[in-house]
Amino acid sequence: MATRAGREAWQLISEMMFNGELQDRFHEASAAAGVTPGLLKSLIHLDQNEGLPMREMADHFGCDASYVTTIVDGLEERGLALRRPHPTDRRVKSVVLTDAGVQAREQALERLYQPPAALDALTGDEQRMLRDLMRKVAAADPTLESARRGA
Amino acid sequence: MATRAGREAWQLISEMMFNGELQDRFHEASAAAGVTPGLLKSLIHLDQNEGLPMREMADHFGCDASYVTTIVDGLEERGLALRRPHPTDRRVKSVVLTDAGVQAREQALERLYQPPAALDALTGDEQRMLRDLMRKVAAADPTLESARRGA
DNA sequence: TATTGTTATACTCTATAACTATA
DNA sequence: TATAGTTATAGAGTATAACAATA
């Protein structure tokens, strides 16, 4: 169970994440990639090999199928992704990243994951401790595989 | 300087924050409070005593002044905040939370700061270690005072 | 008949431009 | 003249409803 200390730790993490320099990191990364925030969210969730059916995109993001059409149109217009027919079910269209899409995704993640300057307050040993703790937490989160796929 | 370990630590934190159960924590908290996400962002940034000029709200969020008008209208309609005249400059309107606004803010923060289930993977000692590390990082972030004000 | 995706349309969110009041 | 806030309006972003193709 999360202790009082654990809750305080996560509160501090949340405050770091939603204030100051990180506050609109996502908007900056979107602008840098030449896409809207909505497009970037999808871009990050896609890959070049598997291909993701549009229906599954709608389920993952909890949005309407018609909006997925809009999103994928935007990614295609920019040459970042394309629709591929499903091998057996001809109703389904899978979305895969292009080479440009993979590159844009990597550059965006590079920006997004950059730590705040205040992390420098920790010594090297402390940063390693923080990493080890977060590795243990992340390993216990079953929903993190897709994010880890491209890392 | 952030080490390789520090960057990995922050990447794991970011992944936890933007995937899985926390993915739309903010939308849930907004819905629970009966406000839109835009309103909640402002609600969290306001308080009951000081009062914040609308111009400063626009600067803080990097948005247009006309949108602040829309936001404050929304908070007033719901009885969560109100406009107060500035004592010396009659052009300025300061925004303060009502009692209901303070209560809504606290309940929303309670939800927002709740740690993910995976944090339970850490022992009590490890959660304390994580808290101490994050206290040190947060203390080095100069932009965190306003967030800490109401905590 | 049920499901995937698209089109047409409407509603919400946010910005730009023109305006009023005050400094 | 410059600044704080409002109003009117337009543009993104997102949803709902009706539809075509396939299962």
Side-chain angles (χ1 to χ4, degrees):
Chain A
M1 204 195 52
T3 64
R4 174 183 296 271
R7 288 198 303 275
E8 182 185 335
W10 198 259
Q11 171 172 342
L12 290 168
I13 286 172
S14 302
E15 287 177 2
M16 295 286 304
M17 199 57 87
F18 295 117
N19 287 282
E21 41 172 324
L22 274 53
Q23 193 183 356
D24 36 35
R25 174 75 53 97
F26 202 85
H27 282 80
E28 291 165 16
S30 305
V35 298
T36 66
L39 290 179
L40 184 57
K41 259 172 68 176
S42 292
L43 182 68
I44 288 174
H45 190 244
L46 293 169
D47 67 68
Q48 191 161 35
N49 310 313
E50 299 294 320
L52 193 64
M54 292 174 72
R55 180 87 283 260
E56 289 185 26
M57 290 178 67
D59 290 341
H60 175 80
F61 291 114
C63 71
D64 192 82
S66 65
Y67 183 52
V68 175
T69 297
T70 307
I71 289 289
V72 176
D73 284 350
L75 292 175
E76 273 197 336
E77 278 165 19
R78 291 168 177 78
L80 300 173
L82 43 85
R83 291 164 162 93
R84 208 165 52 182
H86 190 279
T88 69
D89 187 337
R90 294 201 304 180
R91 291 173 304 181
V92 176
K93 292 172 190 169
S94 290
V95 183
V96 291
L97 294 184
T98 62
D99 289 345
V102 172
Q103 195 180 336
R105 177 180 185 276
E106 276 167 13
Q107 286 175 359
L109 287 178
E110 178 86 16
R111 279 173 187 272
L112 285 176
Y113 291 155
Q114 196 164 351
L119 197 71
D120 301 359
L122 299 183
T123 67
D125 277 351
E126 288 170 334
Q127 293 187 38
R128 275 187 289 281
M129 250 194 291
L130 183 63
R131 176 201 61 191
D132 292 342
L133 290 168
M134 286 310 304
R135 276 184 179 170
K136 191 171 177 185
V137 176
D141 186 334
T143 65
L144 231 59
E145 274 135 54
S146 67
R148 223 175 279 122
R149 207 194 312 150
Chain B
M1 203 196 51
T3 64
R4 173 182 298 269
R7 288 198 303 278
E8 183 185 335
W10 198 259
Q11 171 172 342
L12 290 168
I13 287 173
S14 302
E15 287 177 3
M16 295 285 305
M17 199 57 86
F18 295 116
N19 287 282
E21 40 171 325
L22 275 54
Q23 193 182 356
D24 36 35
R25 175 75 54 99
F26 202 84
H27 282 79
E28 289 164 16
S30 306
V35 298
T36 65
L39 290 180
L40 184 57
K41 260 171 69 175
S42 292
L43 181 69
I44 289 175
H45 190 244
L46 293 169
D47 67 70
Q48 190 162 33
N49 309 314
E50 298 294 322
L52 194 65
M54 294 175 69
R55 180 88 284 262
E56 289 185 27
M57 290 178 65
D59 291 340
H60 176 80
F61 291 115
C63 70
D64 191 81
S66 67
Y67 182 52
V68 175
T69 296
T70 307
I71 289 289
V72 176
D73 284 349
L75 292 175
E76 274 198 335
E77 279 165 20
R78 290 167 177 78
L80 300 173
L82 44 84
R83 291 164 162 93
R84 206 164 55 182
H86 190 279
T88 69
D89 187 338
R90 295 200 306 179
R91 292 173 304 180
V92 176
K93 293 171 190 168
S94 290
V95 184
V96 291
L97 295 185
T98 62
D99 290 344
V102 171
Q103 195 180 336
R105 177 179 185 277
E106 276 167 16
Q107 286 175 1
L109 287 178
E110 179 85 15
R111 280 172 185 273
L112 285 175
Y113 291 156
Q114 197 164 348
L119 196 71
D120 300 357
L122 299 184
T123 67
D125 277 350
E126 287 170 334
Q127 293 186 39
R128 276 188 288 282
M129 249 194 291
L130 182 63
R131 176 201 60 190
D132 292 340
L133 290 168
M134 286 312 303
R135 276 183 178 170
K136 190 170 176 184
V137 176
D141 187 333
T143 66
L144 231 57
E145 274 136 56
S146 67
R148 221 175 279 122
R149 206 192 314 149

